[in-house]
């Protein structure tokens, strides 16, 4: 693999603009090489010695200590100055300029200096942020040690070999801040042995518990109600082992996240330094100079490589984490701080291929079975389509959606969309496209096998009913899927299953939880699975109140069933509507109000189309037409303009400035397909009659088209979100701290 590809592959995706523009520098070197080849061909490659020249076109006075001979022997000279913002600025002057590639060499070093200053500036600003976070973590550890001692010895005077409090006012300079975690480490080590000591703790250390409160880091419906009533969400300190365990777990996650930031910064420094070294070696080779050594000497003296704050912080964090959150087991602690990279397992690929083969074989067998037995057109076909087909179609909708999601993951990875960060997956637990395909085709194989076994069109002549076991197969498959979903054992990707169930619960209780991207993203997925939800409703009615042995039911003639037919279809849109209202109130973002209007129009349109499909009549038909047209126009505009970020002022016609897919036609095709698929509702009100298709088949086809549209929407929606994160260098999510100090509350 070429270094350029490796360099890009190891970038923090959201920081990619802050890295060295290696490809740009390579293209300038190519221009230098081409210029030299042209002049070499013409025989006019004559080195032209000159006194030094810098990029601004102005001469620059160097120190008198450098002799004229030294200047003559150097290819470049790099000068450093401090800008008005306090950051270093570097400027390279070429001492010997050849005619061949002369301008390109000047442009190369000008660009290189600007890129290096950008990297140096970004790195320094991020290190400052890390130091500030370290000070905050230092205070959190003070409180944790004090809390732990109080829990261990609730009825006796506090004893500790050292004070737990840290003089925060003394942490003014960066050097003192860096020492704080080292002191903290020693303090925590002493504190952990405090129960064996007899030295009484000082009053200053006792005061730390008087100045802190517990923060509510996990929102609950109760905390939402307290916020509405303007009540405090901070808990009084209760020195119990349960609270201590919760605090330790919270703080452990904070340290893991902080350490991950430090690792990213260390890797950022290393990669950029390596990129500069590589590009300078290429320059020396092409320009036949010896400029790499003096330039790298400057780089080595710069803040990017000479600063050791990050290394010190990493050592301190490792020591504290192992001592306090891994029971002094360094191997265990480092495994938590540095989770192992997931390796693609061959058995997953093999199993996926196996189930794909099984699914294809079962589909072929199903077609042949129907053809040989001449099932189409028999008396039992209509009854089968009205009873069994809606039951089995549920699995088809789920499998198709999972396949679309797997394809989304594949292309997100291909174009370096950081979907684990956007969705908030715990590091190392996110599913790749192969496991998702494995689950989808595994479910598909199970469902197709059940269909093939249950493909009976006639009753048993001896019992005058259908076989009970085969008629219960769809219910068994649903039960298996639900059982696996809630299985508490660490099998079938437990972390992903529980994450999914938690997000589903937050969608159901939409207004009572703070809305995050996974919440509204999943709610949008559910709006495309209305027919699947109606299939679940039919399961309840068919097996609960119908006679499944005779394939008889009164579901569609029941007023209760028809009422829930409306409600079930509205639930996903209503959940999404409430999420928008919550964000409008909480974030004061007016665009969420307009988004809520979109879902409200969709709710009305869905209700009117459902009413027309059940009752017919011109009044329902006109209402369905009007509101469906409004909802379609509004939804299409929102998809393309807000969710995808298109149709804004841009140099790329109708697109946004930043695109991840090189072929722009993909975006134009996606916009057209989105509009066409959104018009699928026309069939509902125009009553297209296809003689060879049953009504249930037409409903299933329309649902399939909507799932495909949602899959396309998913890619461009997350692409736009990723580019927004890149524009803001947003590579980490804030992790709430367990303790809140009194002075922090007063400063807000």
């Amino acid at each position: 693999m070429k270094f350029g590809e490796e360099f890009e592959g190891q970038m923090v995706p959201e920081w990619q603009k802050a890295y060295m523009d290696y490809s740009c520098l390579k293209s300038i070197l190519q221009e230098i090489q081409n210029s030299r080849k042209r002049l070499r061909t013409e025989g006019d490659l004559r080195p032209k010695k000159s006194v030094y020249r810098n990029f601004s076109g102005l001469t620059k006075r160097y120190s008198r200590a450098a002799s004229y001979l030294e200047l003559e022997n150097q290819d470049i000279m790099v000068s450093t100055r401090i800008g008005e913002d306090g950051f270093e600025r570097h400027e390279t002057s070429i001492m010997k300029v050849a005619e061949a590639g002369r301008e390109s060499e000047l442009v190369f070093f000008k660009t290189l200096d600007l890129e290096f200053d950008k990297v140096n500036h970004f790195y320094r600003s991020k290190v400052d942020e890390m130091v500030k976070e370290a000070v905050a973590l230092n205070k959190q550890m003070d409180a944790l040690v004090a809390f732990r001692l109080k829990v261990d010895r609730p009825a006796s005077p506090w004893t500790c070999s050292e004070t737990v409090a840290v003089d925060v006012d003394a942490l003014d300079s960066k050097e003192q801040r860096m020492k704080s975690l080292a002191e903290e480490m020693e303090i925590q080590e002493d504190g952990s042995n405090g129960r064996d000591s007899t030295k009484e703790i000082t009053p200053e250390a006792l005061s730390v518990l008087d100045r802190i409160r517990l923060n509510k880091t996990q929102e609950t419906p109760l905390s939402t109600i307290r916020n509405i009533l303007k009540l405090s969400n901070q808990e009084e300190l209760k020195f119990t082992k349960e609270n201590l365990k919760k605090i330790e777990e919270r703080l452990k996650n904070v340290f893991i996240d902080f350490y991950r930031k430090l690792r990213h910064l260390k890797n950022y420094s290393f990669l950029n330094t390596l990129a500069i070294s590589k590009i300078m070696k290429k320059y020396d080779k092409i320009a036949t100079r010896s400029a790499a050594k003096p330039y790298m000497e400057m780089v080595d003296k710069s803040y990017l490589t000479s600063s050791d704050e990050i290394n010190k912080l990493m050592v301190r964090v490792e020591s504290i984490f192992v001592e306090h959150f891994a029971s002094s087991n360094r191997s265990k602690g480092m495994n938590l701080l540095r989770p192992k990279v997931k390796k693609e397992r061959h058995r997953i690929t093999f199993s996926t291929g196996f189930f794909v083969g099984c699914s294809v074989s079962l589909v072929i067998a199903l077609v042949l079975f129907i053809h040989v037995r001449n099932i189409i057109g028999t008396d039992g076909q209509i009854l089968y389509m009205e009873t069994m087909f809606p039951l089995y179609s549920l699995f088809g909708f789920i499998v198709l959606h999972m396949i679309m999601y797997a394809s989304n993951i594949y292309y997100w990875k291909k174009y370096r969309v950081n979907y684990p960060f956007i969705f908030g997956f715990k590091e190392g637990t996110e599913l790749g496209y192969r496991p998702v395909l494995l689950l989808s085709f595994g479910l598909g194989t199970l469902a197709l096998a059940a269909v093939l076994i249950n493909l009976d069109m006639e009753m048993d002549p001896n019992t005058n009913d259908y076989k009970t076991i085969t008629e219960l197969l769809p219910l068994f498959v649903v039960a298996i899927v639900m059982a696996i979903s809630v299985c508490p054992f660490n099998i079938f990707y437990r972390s992903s299953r529980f994450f999914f169930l938690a997000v589903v619960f937050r969608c159901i209780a939409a207004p009572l939880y703070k809305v995050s991207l996974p919440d509204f993203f999943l709610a949008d997925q559910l709006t495309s699975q209305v027919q699947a939800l109606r299939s679940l409703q039919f399961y309840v009615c068919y097996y609960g109140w119908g006679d499944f042995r005779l394939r008889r039911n009164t579901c569609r003639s029941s007023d209760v069933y028809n009422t829930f037919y409306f409600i079930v279809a509205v639930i996903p849109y209503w959940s999404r509507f409430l999420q928008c209202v919550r964000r409008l109130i909480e974030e004061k973002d007016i665009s969420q109000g307009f988004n809520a209007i979109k879902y409200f129009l969709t709710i009305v349109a869905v209700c009117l189309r459902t009413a027309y499909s059940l009752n017919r009549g011109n009044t329902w038909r006109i209402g369905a037409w009007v509101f469906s047209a409004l909802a379609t126009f509004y939804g299409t505009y929102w998809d393309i303009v807000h969710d995808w970020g298109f149709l804004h002022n841009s140099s790329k016609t109708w697109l946004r400035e930043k695109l991840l897919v090189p072929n722009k036609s993909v975006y134009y095709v996606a916009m057209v397909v989105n509009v066409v698929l959104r018009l699928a509702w026309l069939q509902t009100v125009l009553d297209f009659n296809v003689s060879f298709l049953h009504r249930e088949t037409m409903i299933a086809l329309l649902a399939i088209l909507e799932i495909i549209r949602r899959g396309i929407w998913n890619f461009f929606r997350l692409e736009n979100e990723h580019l927004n994160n890149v524009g803001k260098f947003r590579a980490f999510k804030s992790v709430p701290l367990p303790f809140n100090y009194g002075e922090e509350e007063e400063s807000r």
Side-chain angles (χ1 to χ4, degrees):
M1 182 185 292
K2 294 182 178 180
F3 174 74
E5 297 175 357
E6 187 178 352
F7 179 60
E8 185 177 348
Q10 293 189 31
M11 288 180 181
V12 177
E14 289 74 16
W15 288 354
Q16 59 186 4
K17 288 184 179 179
Y19 284 82
M20 294 286 298
D21 195 342
Y22 188 79
S23 59
C24 175
L25 293 168
K26 274 188 67 177
S27 65
I28 299 174
L29 288 181
Q30 187 64 43
E31 291 179 11
I32 297 173
Q33 189 174 30
N34 293 339
S35 299
R36 285 175 168 265
K37 284 181 179 179
R38 283 196 300 269
L39 286 182
R40 190 177 292 116
T41 303
E42 298 170 3
D44 191 29
L45 184 57
R46 296 187 299 272
K48 185 175 180 180
K49 293 186 178 180
S50 70
V51 192
Y52 48 90
R53 169 173 178 171
N54 58 24
F55 302 114
S56 62
L58 303 174
T59 57
K60 187 176 184 69
R61 295 184 180 274
Y62 291 93
S63 171
R64 293 182 180 179
S67 66
Y68 179 80
L69 182 60
E70 290 173 336
L71 294 177
E72 279 290 311
N73 291 332
Q74 290 183 358
D75 287 314
I76 63 169
M77 179 170 284
V78 185
S79 59
T80 304
R81 61 181 177 83
I82 305 299
E84 294 180 359
D85 55 2
F87 290 97
E88 296 175 344
R89 296 288 184 272
H90 301 88
E91 190 171 10
T92 303
S93 299
I94 304 178
M95 310 309 295
K96 302 173 184 177
V97 184
E99 286 297 331
R102 174 171 172 267
E103 293 300 326
S104 297
E105 287 192 60
L106 297 176
V107 172
F108 172 78
F109 278 105
K110 179 66 174 177
T111 305
L112 180 61
D113 288 341
L114 290 175
E115 289 296 310
F116 178 70
D117 289 342
K118 175 189 73 176
V119 168
N120 205 35
H121 186 177
F122 181 82
Y123 181 73
R124 190 162 196 161
S125 64
K126 289 298 177 183
V127 170
D128 289 341
E129 291 178 15
M130 293 300 101
V131 171
K132 291 177 182 177
E133 286 194 39
V135 174
L137 280 179
N138 187 25
K139 296 171 67 177
Q140 294 290 315
M141 286 304 299
D142 293 340
L144 174 64
V145 172
F147 196 98
R148 186 178 286 165
L149 289 170
K150 182 66 174 177
V151 170
D152 288 344
R153 307 188 64 179
S156 59
W158 286 32
T159 58
C160 187
S161 58
E162 295 289 345
T163 175
V164 228
V166 173
D167 186 4
V168 180
D169 296 331
L171 301 175
D172 293 331
S173 67
K174 183 175 291 187
E175 290 75 12
Q176 288 171 320
R177 289 181 180 179
M178 292 305 304
K179 290 179 181 178
S180 64
L181 275 182
E183 296 170 358
E184 177 63 23
M185 179 181 67
E186 296 173 1
I187 289 168
Q188 309 313 327
E189 289 172 354
D190 292 335
S192 63
N193 298 323
R195 68 189 67 183
D196 300 324
S197 176
T198 58
K199 184 177 178 179
E200 187 174 349
I201 200 165
T202 63
E204 289 79 5
L206 292 173
S207 66
V208 69
L209 293 177
D210 297 330
R211 294 184 286 114
I212 61 173
R213 295 290 183 270
L214 288 181
N215 282 328
K216 284 266 188 179
T217 55
Q218 188 173 6
E219 190 177 32
T220 61
L222 180 61
S223 65
T224 300
I225 295 172
R226 291 178 67 88
N227 282 333
I228 295 174
L229 299 176
K230 306 296 183 183
L231 300 176
S232 175
N233 261 328
Q234 294 177 0
E235 298 178 347
E236 293 296 326
L237 284 180
K238 295 180 180 179
F239 302 102
T240 62
K241 290 186 176 180
E242 291 76 15
N243 272 350
L244 176 61
K245 186 176 180 180
K246 291 179 182 178
I247 292 167
E248 288 177 337
E249 186 64 27
R250 293 178 189 175
L251 207 49
K252 180 176 75 172
N253 292 332
V254 172
F255 267 93
I256 291 174
D257 186 74
F258 181 66
Y259 190 79
R260 186 160 60 95
K261 295 177 186 178
L262 297 176
R263 286 171 56 205
H264 279 317
L265 267 179
K266 183 177 181 179
N267 188 56
Y268 175 85
S269 172
F270 171 77
L271 279 179
N272 283 288
T273 304
L274 185 59
I276 297 171
S277 175
K278 291 281 186 181
I279 205 69
M280 286 305 301
K281 287 180 180 178
K282 287 181 179 293
Y283 171 78
D284 281 0
K285 183 178 179 180
I286 292 173
T288 61
R289 296 184 184 276
S290 299
K293 183 178 180 181
Y295 201 90
M296 291 309 299
E297 286 177 354
M298 178 276 295
V299 172
D300 290 340
K301 294 176 183 177
S302 68
Y303 189 85
L304 180 68
T305 53
S306 64
S307 170
D308 63 346
E309 279 93 341
I310 296 300
N311 287 329
K312 288 181 179 179
L313 282 174
M314 291 182 72
V315 171
R316 305 296 187 267
V317 170
E318 289 171 6
S319 179
I320 292 174
F321 190 87
V322 169
E323 177 69 26
H324 289 275
F325 304 107
S327 304
S328 298
N329 186 333
R330 183 168 180 80
S331 176
K332 176 184 176 182
M334 295 310 297
N335 285 336
L336 290 171
L337 287 174
R338 298 180 179 177
K340 295 180 179 178
V341 179
K342 288 192 343 181
K343 295 181 179 179
E344 294 290 349
R345 297 180 178 177
H346 295 296
R347 68 179 181 213
I348 292 179
T349 305
F350 172 80
S351 301
T352 303
F354 173 76
F355 282 119
V356 169
C358 289
S359 298
V360 172
S361 301
L362 287 171
V363 169
I364 295 173
L366 189 61
V367 172
L368 292 176
F369 192 78
I370 292 173
H371 177 72
V372 170
R373 294 185 58 179
N374 197 22
I375 289 176
I376 297 177
T378 59
D379 296 335
Q381 180 201 353
I382 296 176
L383 183 61
Y384 185 92
M385 293 300 296
E386 291 179 350
T387 55
M388 304 310 295
F389 185 81
L391 299 178
Y392 284 114
S393 63
L394 168 66
F395 307 112
F397 301 145
I398 295 175
V399 169
L400 177 61
H401 210 136
M402 292 176 70
I403 292 173
M404 294 300 296
Y405 179 63
S407 64
N408 289 149
I409 293 175
Y410 174 81
Y411 285 106
W412 287 333
K413 281 191 172 183
K414 181 177 180 179
Y415 295 108
R416 304 199 71 243
V417 175
N418 194 359
Y419 74 95
F421 167 72
I422 294 173
F423 287 136
F425 294 137
K426 186 178 179 182
E427 188 177 8
T429 63
E430 71 278 3
L431 293 183
Y433 71 93
R434 286 187 179 90
V436 177
L437 284 177
L438 172 62
L439 294 173
S440 59
F441 282 106
L443 176 60
T445 299
L446 184 63
L448 285 170
V451 171
L452 198 59
I453 295 172
N454 195 24
L455 201 62
D456 295 326
M457 296 295 165
E458 304 294 339
M459 294 183 183
D460 189 329
N462 297 323
T463 60
N464 289 326
D465 61 13
Y466 295 92
K467 296 179 181 179
T468 302
I469 295 178
T470 56
E471 291 301 301
L472 286 173
L473 278 177
L475 188 62
F476 287 155
V477 177
V478 170
I480 290 172
V481 172
M482 290 186 172
I484 292 175
S485 299
V486 299
C487 177
F489 303 110
N490 193 15
I491 55 175
F492 295 109
Y493 310 106
R494 181 178 64 178
S495 177
S496 297
R497 288 189 286 108
F498 283 12
F499 180 88
F500 173 77
L501 294 175
V503 176
V504 169
F505 180 76
R506 290 200 298 271
C507 289
I508 296 172
L512 300 179
Y513 285 91
K514 183 178 178 65
V515 183
S516 60
L517 188 140
D519 300 336
F520 66 74
F521 189 87
L522 180 60
D524 278 326
Q525 307 306 304
L526 294 177
T527 61
S528 296
Q529 285 286 7
V530 168
Q531 201 54 45
L533 296 176
R534 282 175 167 171
S535 294
L536 282 175
Q537 176 193 354
F538 186 70
Y539 267 91
V540 175
C541 177
Y542 183 74
Y543 286 105
W545 287 274
D547 189 350
F548 62 88
R549 294 181 185 85
L550 300 176
R551 292 184 181 172
R552 293 176 182 172
N553 67 86
T554 57
C555 295
R556 290 177 174 81
S557 61
S558 168
D559 291 337
V560 175
Y561 180 87
N562 289 333
T563 301
F564 276 96
Y565 200 68
F566 282 87
I567 295 173
V568 167
V570 165
I571 286 175
Y573 299 102
W574 181 249
S575 173
R576 195 68 188 88
F577 172 79
L578 292 177
Q579 288 177 343
C580 292
V581 172
R582 166 80 188 242
R583 293 186 68 184
L584 173 64
I585 296 173
E586 196 169 58
E587 301 173 12
K588 311 299 181 186
D589 184 359
I590 191 64
S591 66
Q592 293 301 322
F594 294 118
N595 202 15
I597 294 174
K598 180 189 76 172
Y599 289 104
F600 178 77
L601 288 174
T602 306
I603 289 172
V604 176
V606 168
C607 289
L608 290 174
R609 289 204 299 266
T610 303
Y612 174 69
S613 67
L614 293 175
N615 303 316
R616 300 298 174 179
N618 287 331
T619 303
W620 294 118
R621 185 173 187 174
I622 293 171
W625 259 106
V626 172
F627 279 94
S628 294
L630 284 173
T632 300
F633 175 78
Y634 204 148
T636 302
Y637 170 81
W638 199 272
D639 285 348
I640 295 174
V641 177
H642 288 272
D643 291 340
W644 294 359
F646 299 155
L647 302 184
H648 293 291
N649 292 329
S650 168
S651 60
K652 300 179 178 67
T653 307
W654 294 355
L655 304 178
R656 60 175 111 83
E657 283 293 339
K658 294 292 183 180
L659 302 173
L660 296 182
V661 181
N663 190 351
K664 291 191 292 186
S665 61
V666 171
Y667 296 93
Y668 295 115
V669 171
M671 287 191 282
V672 173
V673 170
N674 185 73
V675 174
V676 172
L677 294 183
R678 269 196 174 272
L679 294 175
W681 58 268
L682 283 172
Q683 192 279 334
T684 308
V685 292
L686 293 179
D687 295 328
F688 292 130
N689 291 319
V690 183
S691 58
F692 58 87
L693 290 180
H694 190 274
R695 174 178 173 274
E696 291 294 335
T697 306
M698 183 62 72
I699 292 174
L701 288 176
L702 294 177
I704 288 170
L705 291 178
E706 171 58 21
I707 293 171
I708 293 172
R709 187 196 70 81
R710 181 60 62 185
I712 297 171
W713 178 90
N714 288 345
F715 175 81
F716 298 106
R717 176 64 183 88
L718 233 66
E719 179 198 27
N720 192 36
E721 183 70 21
H722 171 75
L723 291 174
N724 289 335
N725 289 339
V726 170
K728 299 175 183 177
F729 300 108
R730 189 168 52 205
F732 308 104
K733 293 184 178 179
S734 59
V735 181
L737 299 173
F739 294 109
N740 180 280
Y741 278 75
E743 62 267 21
E744 294 174 4
E745 183 69 21
E746 293 172 3
S747 63
R748 292 176 182 174

